[in-house]
Structure formats: C-alpha cells, structure tokens
Amino acid sequence: MKKYSVVVVDDHTLLSQAIQSMVDTFNEFTVLYTCKNGQELLDMIAKSADNIPNVILMDVHMPILNGIETTAIVTQNYPSVHVMALSVEDDDATILKMLKAGAIGYLLKDTEKSVLEKAMIEIVENGFYHTSNVTNLLMKSINGLVEEEITLKEHEITFLKLACSELTYREIAQQMCLSPKTVDGYRDALFTKCNVKNRVGLVIYAIKNKIYTV
C-alpha cells in the first residue's frame, strides 16, 4: 500500500524527531524529512518535486520564517499540499491567523496519538479536519463574534517590558532565569502575535498598548 508522505516542520529537534517516530508508526503515512523552520521547508521543496509532501505538520512559532507565513506561501504555490498546524499555542487569534493562511486543521501538541492519526487521515480524504473548538471558533468568526485581539501571556509581557530596555536578549534571558533559546522563542512568538518584524516593532507595540511607558 502506498503511503502518504509527511514533512514535520518544528524548530525543536527532539520534539520533531518524536513526532517523526510517531507518524512513521501510522499505517497510511511516512515522514519524508523534517525541517527546523519555514525557510528550510521552502528550500527543500524547491530542490525537487520528490520533496513535495502530501501533508505538512506545521509548528506556528519558528525562527527565520514562522508557520503562518510559511503556510500562506505553501498553500498558494502548492495547493495540493495539506497543511495541518501542530502547536502549543491555543489562543483564538493565532488559530484564526493560521487557518486564514491556509491550514486545514489545527491541533495542540498534547493531542493523543490516535487523534493525530485520525486527523491526518481526514485531511487527505476529506480536505480538512477541525476539532469542535476550532469549528466553534470559525462559526463565531464568520458571524463577527470574534475579535482578533492579541492576548499576551504573563511571561510574554515580562519579556516585552525588558525588550524595551537596553538589555541584550542574552541579558534578558539571564534576568528571567531562562535559556537564550527560550527567550528567542518568546521573541519570535511576539513577532507573530504583534505582527512586527523586529525589536523596534515590539517597542512601538508596547508603547502604543501602554505595556511600557516612557
């Protein structure tokens, strides 16, 4: 039996490898390769038609090119590819942005193995898979009941305030008692949530929304 090809896009190597190992146990799927960010995925696809998968399991927050931007590019240029978001982010704004970019499913990373397999089967057979929560969110959005407001978590607000200072990202990590990689993750997540491309954009956002005062 021919299996559907899958690519896992996630900047956390161990997690990416774990997802690959799990998907490879599914009867109808096999992982072609994994990528650490969206740009790496686009480069791989551009190399050969053999690198174009049936399904992409896409993280949302990644360096260089995030999941939302990558999904929009992939679905526009490779419409036969099914993109499913697989993320830790569960806020409505992020989910809607990912779906509007072209993702046909959105699952959290703590999803049960059986649910992931079912979802992947449904997206290749039916063209989409939505949990009840995502379906309700879409209905609210269609009816104008959802405002795509940005909700920041406590640690993101703390990081944002420190980013408005003269501290380097490494110094911010030290002050927050976190690893530089974790802080980089906070930064990239805020770039996506706040729709900005650099630290200056974060500062302007923080000032405009009264998170930081000068």
Side-chain angles (χ1 to χ4, degrees):
M1 181 182 72
K2 183 179 179 180
K3 293 189 174 185
Y4 295 108
S5 57
V6 181
V7 169
V8 180
V9 187
D10 196 302
D11 60 323
H12 294 89
T13 303
L14 288 177
L15 183 55
S16 181
Q17 291 173 346
I19 295 171
Q20 176 182 1
S21 297
M22 177 168 48
V23 171
D24 279 337
T25 68
F26 297 164
N27 292 330
E28 298 187 36
F29 300 93
T30 185
V31 176
L32 278 179
Y33 53 88
T34 64
C35 296
K36 294 182 180 179
N37 57 68
Q39 188 58 57
E40 188 174 317
L41 169 69
L42 296 178
D43 291 343
M44 285 292 293
I45 289 177
K47 285 182 180 179
S48 169
D50 292 335
N51 287 340
I52 302 175
N54 299 119
V55 178
I56 296 175
L57 298 179
M58 185 85 71
D59 192 12
V60 175
H61 298 306
M62 297 177 290
I64 305 177
L65 197 65
N66 66 46
I68 296 171
E69 296 166 331
T70 308
T71 297
I73 295 171
V74 169
T75 54
Q76 180 177 356
N77 293 283
Y78 308 96
S80 64
V81 177
H82 304 290
V83 179
M84 169 168 284
L86 195 59
S87 174
V88 296
E89 294 297 329
D90 61 355
D91 61 282
D92 291 352
T94 299
I95 294 172
L96 284 174
K97 285 179 182 178
M98 197 65 180
L99 296 176
K100 286 182 177 181
I104 56 175
Y106 196 108
L107 288 177
L108 298 179
K109 287 182 177 177
D110 62 357
T111 297
E112 294 287 339
K113 175 181 176 180
S114 59
V115 175
L116 176 60
E117 183 176 15
K118 176 187 176 184
M120 292 173 64
I121 291 172
E122 288 203 17
I123 66 171
V124 295
E125 292 185 350
N126 302 326
F128 71 94
Y129 174 83
H130 294 319
T131 62
S132 58
N133 288 340
V134 170
T135 299
N136 291 335
L137 176 60
L138 285 171
M139 292 303 297
K140 289 180 181 178
S141 178
I142 291 171
N143 294 321
L145 299 176
V146 176
E147 294 183 7
E148 293 186 44
E149 61 180 15
I150 299 173
T151 302
L152 299 183
K153 298 175 181 177
E154 185 176 347
H155 62 258
E156 291 175 328
I157 293 174
T158 300
F159 168 80
L160 191 52
K161 290 178 179 178
L162 291 172
C164 293
S165 70
E166 295 183 353
L167 295 174
T168 65
Y169 287 130
R170 184 169 291 276
E171 290 170 337
I172 290 174
Q174 292 174 346
Q175 189 151 334
M176 293 182 70
C177 299
L178 298 170
S179 70
K181 183 174 178 63
T182 299
V183 163
D184 286 345
Y186 289 172
R187 177 200 62 203
D188 294 337
L190 284 170
F191 281 171
T192 301
K193 280 189 174 182
C194 303
N195 194 27
V196 300
K197 296 182 178 180
N198 51 44
R199 187 167 180 170
V200 173
L202 288 179
V203 173
I204 293 173
Y205 176 88
I207 293 173
K208 285 177 63 177
N209 289 275
K210 299 180 180 179
I211 294 172
Y212 180 80
T213 56
V214 293

